Amino acid sequence: MINTGGEMKSLGLRKMLLTLRLDSIRSCMNRRNNVSRSLGLLKRRLSGIRSSDGGKVDRSENLTGNYFVTTPIFYVNAEPHIGHLHSALLADAAQRFQKLQNPAISTIFSTGTDEHGLKIQQSSMASGCDPLVFCNQVSHKFKALFDLVDIGYTDYIRTVEDRHKIAVGHFFNKLKDNGHIYQGNYSGWYCVSDEAYLTELQVREVHLQSGEKQLVSLESGHPVEWNSEDNYMFRLSSFQQDLQYWLKDDQRVQPERYLQQLRGWVSEDLHDLSVSRPKKRVSWGIPVPEDSKHTIYVWVDALVNYLTVAGYPEQMVWPPDVQVLGKDILRFHGIYWPALLMAAGLDPPNKLLCHSHWTIEGEKMSKSKGNVVCPKDRVERYTSDGLRYFLLREGTPHSDSSWSDTRAVRLLNAELADSLGNLMNRCTAQSLNPHQQRPPLCLQYKENMPLSGQKLVEQLVMLPDLVEKHYTDFNFYRGIDVIMAAVRQANVFVQEERPWELKNQTDRRKLDSVLRVALEAVRTAGIALQPIVPRLASCLLDATGVPDHQRCWNSLHLGFYNVNQDDLSTSYKLGARTKLFRKIKD
Ligand code: MSP
């Protein structure tokens, strides 16, 4: 929805949040002496709603028809690996699916790089490069990878851009003006690798091979260091009830296990969050407005990227429909981010899609462990669509997936080269279909199909709704499963009907009908696979001659199943055939 002046517009949610905040503020009355300021703020926010909206606004009134999806922005301390690509790919498949369902929709799909903070400062120093030169190089590599793998982003944001610095400064001031920032002292653990503040309970001691002891983050295993410094603090603790309310919606975070995890975290004590670092420690960052001795905490800087791409602080499209993130950054997106937004008077995101990790021999893939799989190499070996297919086929959002090249080769050869490639070749072959036209379907054949054909037709009829459900739930792997089951069944059907033995008969009706049914399976797979493997899908649709205007999701229902007479419409010319997927050598 269009949000003028950056004010929160989802009135229902906002009023309920405000009611909750009112309750929480009332219960604080005896504990704090800041009630009159808080109530004043609430009054201002309530009067803002009345004057700016004057009526109910909900998502069904989103007349702009936008779909807004984001990926996390990637740290530039290391080159992209398969795990990074996975976050971007999920968002890309989601937006392609949206466009397929509603070709008129305009999408915002943002991705980019996270370039400030201590981690990047240290990495650039270690490389002996000026920080901006260092950032330029790695940011460019992420962009080049995303282009190579057809990630269809509409905005590639870098946190070193001026538009972003303006947005971050404005956002910080807004938090301050709204009374959610105070100056304090932070003493505790800091994990540079995760750029995260940790409590005593979030660290543990490990014994290094050298015999020394080291404190590390319980969650990531990365080393932590003791910090004691004057910082600006954000009153995160006062947003507990608002967050609990936001998380009441069972669809807010997918998959469910991550929703439950967040609910658990939010039910525990929330500590106020340090939102700045002294400039003498972290100079590579955005200065706190009017206090250049401090730089803004890199996670606040980074999270605001989503607002920057939306146009903040000017007129903007807000909130995002879905934000994709990995499970390691759930706390930042599921607690800090919605609380910061609420504090600035903005809607939290509609949905978070949290995915699990790619592992190698049971360990998370990461630069620090030195076990990364390079996506560029894999594109060379498997092609861009081959890599996309494997990642989306094997990467499940709810649990970690283990990377295996042996498995990738087997799966791609079996499913793309054999199942799909052979099916396409069989039903478009010149020898069986000399006129290269969509063959007619004979009603008598349709009504007397062998069991394998009936089963195939049943699968094809069910496929659109089933795949739609899985794609909508971001379970792309389940959608692919349904499609490939139909493709396998189509091969069983062709094998049984043996069209190559029918080609010498004078009556072509059976041969044509068999080819037509098989072709229908290819057409269906081609349409439904577009979000997953856009190039291969268009190759399938080109070869079967499907015109451009019949490639959207609705066209899946154009099958012959409801036709009660001979379907003789052969006007449909088959298109150019290219090799679908070249087998990969072991
Ligand atoms: N810069 C922060 C995000 C800021 S967003 C406001 C960050 N960057 S990251 O480069 O470390 O990670 C970016 C994304 O890659 C995250 O979604 C993360 O989960 C994902 N992955 C990094 N390693 C991964 C795997 N091994 N497997 C799957 N995805 C993983 O965090």
Side-chain angles (χ1 to χ4, degrees), residues 347-399:
D347 269 339
N350 285 332
K351 189 186 285 278
L352 301 181
L353 167 64
C354 182
H355 64 81
S356 302
H357 285 153
W358 278 96
T359 59
I360 288 256
E361 288 162 11
E363 292 228 57
K364 182 190 170 202
M365 200 180 287
S366 74
K367 184 198 171 190
S368 55
K369 295 196 176 110
N371 61 355
V372 296
V373 174
C374 170
K376 218 167 138 244
D377 287 354
R378 297 315 189 274
V379 171
E380 270 164 33
R381 200 161 168 215
Y382 306 145
T383 73
S384 144
D385 271 5
L387 179 57
R388 286 179 67 109
Y389 186 82
F390 184 66
L391 287 176
L392 290 170
R393 177 90 165 111
E394 291 285 288
T396 55
H398 53 79
S399 46

Side-chain angles (χ1 to χ4, degrees), residues 39-180:
L39 285 175
L41 181 67
L42 270 178
K43 269 192 205 151
R44 278 206 305 281
R45 284 162 70 182
L46 276 168
S47 66
I49 302 173
R50 284 194 205 106
S51 59
S52 66
D53 290 324
K56 185 173 172 284
V57 178
D58 62 26
R59 285 200 45 73
S60 60
E61 291 176 25
N62 179 352
L63 299 177
T64 56
N66 285 303
Y67 181 71
F68 184 4
V69 56
T70 67
T71 77
I73 49 172
F74 302 88
Y75 285 130
V76 288
N77 65 308
E79 302 204 355
H81 61 65
I82 291 288
H84 299 131
L85 180 59
H86 190 73
S87 287
L89 203 47
L90 283 172
D92 182 61
Q95 65 96 22
R96 283 178 190 273
F97 174 53
Q98 285 295 324
K99 281 203 264 193
L100 209 54
Q101 283 195 306
N102 179 0
I105 208 168
S106 74
T107 48
I108 302 178
F109 170 17
S110 72
T111 190
T113 41
D114 185 355
E115 309 187 23
H116 289 133
L118 192 53
K119 167 159 148 156
I120 308 300
Q121 185 177 307
Q122 289 177 349
S123 304
S124 73
M125 272 169 70
S127 76
C129 250
D130 166 76
L132 188 58
V133 173
F134 176 80
C135 292
N136 286 346
Q137 286 167 356
V138 186
S139 179
H140 177 77
K141 289 189 178 160
F142 273 95
K143 195 164 190 239
L145 171 69
F146 295 158
D147 291 338
L148 184 70
V149 186
D150 299 318
I151 304 296
Y153 57 84
T154 58
D155 199 340
Y156 188 85
I157 171 137
R158 299 185 53 190
T159 54
V160 291
E161 288 177 60
D162 285 345
R163 60 170 175 157
H164 179 65
K165 291 178 187 162
I166 293 168
V168 172
H170 192 94
F171 187 78
F172 196 91
N173 279 335
K174 192 83 186 167
L175 298 180
K176 225 161 116 189
D177 293 349
N178 288 354
H180 299 295

Side-chain angles (χ1 to χ4, degrees), residues 525-542:
I527 292 177
L529 281 172
Q530 289 175 98
I532 314 295
V533 280
R535 293 184 199 207
L536 291 188
S538 85
C539 177
L540 290 171
L541 295 171
D542 288 348

Side-chain angles (χ1 to χ4, degrees), residues 270-325:
L270 292 181
H271 300 276
D272 286 351
L273 177 71
S274 170
V275 287
S276 70
R277 302 292 316 267
K279 187 169 178 182
K280 59 181 188 308
R281 293 205 170 150
V282 186
S283 58
W284 185 238
I286 300 176
V288 167
E290 288 149 39
D291 187 352
S292 55
K293 287 205 187 75
H294 295 265
T295 45
I296 292 175
Y297 172 41
V298 64
W299 265 102
V300 174
D301 171 344
L303 287 163
V304 172
N305 93 83
Y306 304 128
L307 285 168
T308 309
V309 297
Y312 185 83
E314 305 299 328
Q315 190 180 65
M316 61 171 183
V317 176
W318 196 257
D321 292 275
V322 57
Q323 302 209 266
V324 178
L325 52 123

Side-chain angles (χ1 to χ4, degrees), residues 230-289:
D230 288 337
N231 286 343
Y232 285 87
M233 305 292 292
F234 167 61
R235 293 183 203 283
L236 177 65
S237 52
S238 69
F239 283 88
Q240 186 167 32
Q241 283 182 304
D242 291 347
L243 288 168
Q244 280 172 331
Y245 180 76
W246 179 67
L247 288 171
K248 263 194 176 157
D249 183 340
D250 288 339
Q251 296 299 307
R252 186 69 71 207
V253 181
Q254 272 176 265
E256 218 233 321
R257 64 178 295 189
Y258 295 122
L259 174 67
Q260 299 305 354
Q261 189 165 25
L262 263 182
R263 284 179 178 162
W265 286 339
V266 171
S267 70
E268 291 162 12
D269 267 356
L270 292 181
H271 300 276
D272 286 351
L273 177 71
S274 170
V275 287
S276 70
R277 302 292 316 267
K279 187 169 178 182
K280 59 181 188 308
R281 293 205 170 150
V282 186
S283 58
W284 185 238
I286 300 176
V288 167

